[in-house]
Amino acid sequence: MRGHRTLEELEQMKREINILMAKDEKKTSQIKQAQKQISSLESRVSVLVQTSEGYLSARRRFLDVYKRDIKVMEKLKGSKAIREGNIIPHEGDALGDAALFHRDQRTDRRIYRELYGLEYQQVLDYHSVSDDAGLFLVLNAHATMVAQGNPVPDDLKVAFDSFLAKVEQYWPQAPTKEPNSPLGSAYYSFWKKFNEQAQV
């Protein structure tokens, strides 16, 4: 009789554990969904901030200074934009700069591609299907290095080109920060080479 009761108690405990686990899974799912929504909202807010006129003026300055000082190209038509961009941006911003081209405020697409490795429309297209920030972190890091006039070492260039090839192949199915995916592997490989260069 006691053994029978113990079995019933064990079964009851199993049922209660299963119920608790189901509730926990539901909560975990809800948390993940909320995190996804927060990430999406943060991304939208970021785009709105980046497309404000003051910010776009600073982005124009970033591209103009690179074009003038690093590229040593023909006499720059954008000197007015350099004066207007009272914030001096020192870092790449693939989305902010893409907004300038999208709004027809810039036409020198070659400069964009040299900095970011992609056409501005590709960047906007990638952003429209995924909020994964990993792609933009890599593009911005590369642009910052190039715009500062630092030569990009061969092994870092190979890692950057490999990452872009994986983006074209796997975006947006594989998240950049999933180390076991081909895209994630290329993402971490880029940062390893980038950090090695930063320590030189």
Side-chain angles (χ1 to χ4, degrees):
M1 188 85 166
R2 175 72 187 141
H4 182 64
R5 187 177 302 164
T6 304
L7 282 174
E8 285 179 359
E9 289 171 354
L10 184 61
E11 288 301 317
Q12 179 61 29
M13 285 176 67
K14 283 183 182 176
R15 283 194 292 273
E16 288 174 7
I17 288 170
N18 286 337
I19 290 168
L20 288 171
M21 286 174 63
K23 285 181 181 176
D24 190 45
E25 285 176 14
K26 187 177 179 184
K27 283 182 183 175
T28 301
S29 174
Q30 289 171 338
I31 289 169
K32 283 182 180 175
Q33 186 63 30
Q35 287 172 331
K36 223 176 187 180
Q37 290 172 343
I38 289 167
S39 175
S40 178
L41 288 171
E42 285 174 341
S43 179
R44 288 179 191 169
V45 167
S46 174
V47 169
L48 288 173
V49 168
Q50 291 167 356
T51 55
S52 72
E53 281 308 313
Y55 189 78
L56 290 179
S57 179
R59 295 316 311 164
R60 277 191 293 276
R61 188 184 194 310
F62 174 79
L63 294 170
D64 286 342
V65 167
Y66 168 70
K67 186 175 177 181
R68 182 196 67 197
D69 294 346
I70 308 302
K71 293 304 293 174
V72 193
M73 297 172 81
E74 72 278 0
K75 197 155 188 167
L76 183 65
K77 294 178 185 176
S79 56
K80 181 173 179 272
I82 290 174
R83 288 194 302 273
E84 287 174 352
N86 54 1
I87 301 168
I88 303 173
H90 298 287
E91 297 179 353
D93 182 347
L95 285 172
D97 292 347
L100 292 171
F101 290 90
H102 184 68
R103 296 169 127 200
D104 295 324
Q105 294 181 3
R106 289 204 76 98
T107 56
D108 45 0
R109 292 169 154 188
R110 185 169 53 92
I111 296 295
Y112 188 91
R113 186 164 182 90
E114 286 174 12
L115 289 166
Y116 298 104
L118 296 170
E119 298 294 335
Y120 83 90
Q121 191 59 56
Q122 286 176 284
V123 170
L124 294 175
D125 290 344
Y126 287 143
H127 183 258
S128 72
V129 295
S130 174
D131 292 329
D132 186 337
L135 168 64
F136 308 104
L137 292 173
V138 170
L139 297 181
N140 295 346
H142 181 267
T144 300
M145 178 176 276
V146 172
Q148 290 172 348
N150 299 322
V152 179
D154 290 341
D155 57 344
L156 183 58
K157 173 111 178 76
V158 167
F160 181 68
D161 291 343
S162 173
F163 174 75
L164 293 182
K166 297 297 183 199
V167 167
E168 287 189 27
Q169 190 174 359
Y170 294 103
W171 191 269
Q173 292 84 10
T176 55
K177 294 179 185 171
E178 178 53 58
N180 296 327
S181 72
L183 180 56
S185 176
Y187 174 80
Y188 286 105
S189 176
F190 170 83
W191 285 113
K192 182 176 181 221
K193 296 295 180 191
F194 185 87
N195 290 331
E196 285 171 5
Q197 176 60 25
Q199 292 168 5
V200 173

